[in-house]
Amino acid sequence: MSVQHERLMSCATSCGSAESLRSISALAQNAAEKRTSFTDFLEDLLVAERESRRARAREMFARVAGFPAIKTH
Protein backbone atom coordinates (compact mmCIF):
# COMPACT_ATOMS: atom_id res chain seq x y z
CA MET A 1 0.00 0.00 0.00
CA SER A 2 1.43 3.38 -0.97
CA VAL A 3 1.77 6.36 1.32
CA GLN A 4 -0.70 8.27 -0.83
CA HIS A 5 -3.24 5.46 -0.53
CA GLU A 6 -2.81 5.47 3.25
CA ARG A 7 -3.38 9.24 3.33
CA LEU A 8 -6.51 8.85 1.20
CA MET A 9 -7.85 6.19 3.56
CA SER A 10 -7.10 8.38 6.57
CA CYS A 11 -8.87 11.38 5.07
CA ALA A 12 -11.81 9.29 3.93
CA THR A 13 -12.18 7.70 7.34
CA SER A 14 -12.24 11.06 9.07
CA CYS A 15 -14.85 12.29 6.55
CA GLY A 16 -16.94 9.14 6.87
CA SER A 17 -16.23 8.04 3.28
CA ALA A 18 -14.03 5.03 3.87
CA GLU A 19 -16.45 2.56 2.34
CA SER A 20 -15.95 3.73 -1.24
CA LEU A 21 -12.18 3.78 -0.84
CA ARG A 22 -12.19 0.06 -0.20
CA SER A 23 -12.96 -0.34 -3.89
CA ILE A 24 -10.72 2.49 -5.11
CA SER A 25 -8.12 0.12 -6.56
CA ALA A 26 -10.69 -1.67 -8.69
CA LEU A 27 -12.26 1.62 -9.79
CA ALA A 28 -8.85 3.09 -10.63
CA GLN A 29 -7.86 -0.01 -12.61
CA ASN A 30 -11.14 0.10 -14.51
CA ALA A 31 -10.67 3.80 -15.28
CA ALA A 32 -7.12 3.19 -16.50
CA GLU A 33 -8.23 0.35 -18.77
CA LYS A 34 -11.08 2.39 -20.23
CA ARG A 35 -8.96 5.56 -20.32
CA THR A 36 -11.75 7.51 -18.67
CA SER A 37 -11.34 11.06 -17.48
CA PHE A 38 -10.63 11.95 -13.88
CA THR A 39 -14.13 13.38 -13.51
CA ASP A 40 -15.66 10.08 -14.68
CA PHE A 41 -13.47 8.21 -12.19
CA LEU A 42 -14.47 10.61 -9.42
CA GLU A 43 -18.14 10.21 -10.32
CA ASP A 44 -17.81 6.40 -10.11
CA LEU A 45 -16.14 6.75 -6.72
CA LEU A 46 -18.86 9.04 -5.39
CA VAL A 47 -21.62 6.82 -6.76
CA ALA A 48 -20.05 3.85 -4.96
CA GLU A 49 -20.01 5.86 -1.72
CA ARG A 50 -23.63 6.96 -2.17
CA GLU A 51 -24.82 3.41 -2.83
CA SER A 52 -22.90 2.11 0.16
CA ARG A 53 -24.46 4.72 2.43
CA ARG A 54 -27.93 3.99 1.10
CA ALA A 55 -27.50 0.26 1.71
CA ARG A 56 -26.28 0.87 5.27
CA ALA A 57 -29.23 3.22 5.88
CA ARG A 58 -31.73 0.61 4.64
CA GLU A 59 -30.20 -2.01 6.91
CA MET A 60 -30.28 0.34 9.87
CA PHE A 61 -33.89 1.36 9.25
CA ALA A 62 -34.93 -2.29 9.02
CA ARG A 63 -33.19 -3.07 12.33
CA VAL A 64 -34.71 -0.06 14.06
CA ALA A 65 -38.18 -0.89 12.74
CA GLY A 66 -38.03 -4.21 14.56
CA PHE A 67 -39.77 -6.25 11.88
CA PRO A 68 -40.20 -9.88 12.88
CA ALA A 69 -38.65 -11.07 9.57
CA ILE A 70 -37.15 -9.42 6.52
CA LYS A 71 -38.75 -10.55 3.29
CA THR A 72 -36.75 -10.60 0.08
CA HIS A 73 -39.67 -10.83 -2.37
Side-chain angles (χ1 to χ4, degrees), residues 12-68:
T13 301
S14 66
C15 293
S17 303
E19 193 66 35
S20 63
L21 284 183
R22 291 190 181 132
S23 61
I24 194 169
S25 296
L27 290 171
Q29 183 68 31
N30 188 28
E33 290 171 1
K34 292 182 177 180
R35 299 184 143 232
T36 60
S37 68
F38 176 74
T39 53
D40 288 337
F41 166 72
L42 183 58
E43 180 182 11
D44 291 343
L45 185 64
L46 293 173
V47 165
E49 178 65 25
R50 180 185 65 201
E51 295 306 314
S52 172
R53 287 177 184 231
R54 285 181 177 173
R56 284 194 321 261
R58 281 191 302 270
E59 291 170 6
M60 188 267 308
F61 291 142
R63 276 194 314 269
V64 170
F67 297 129

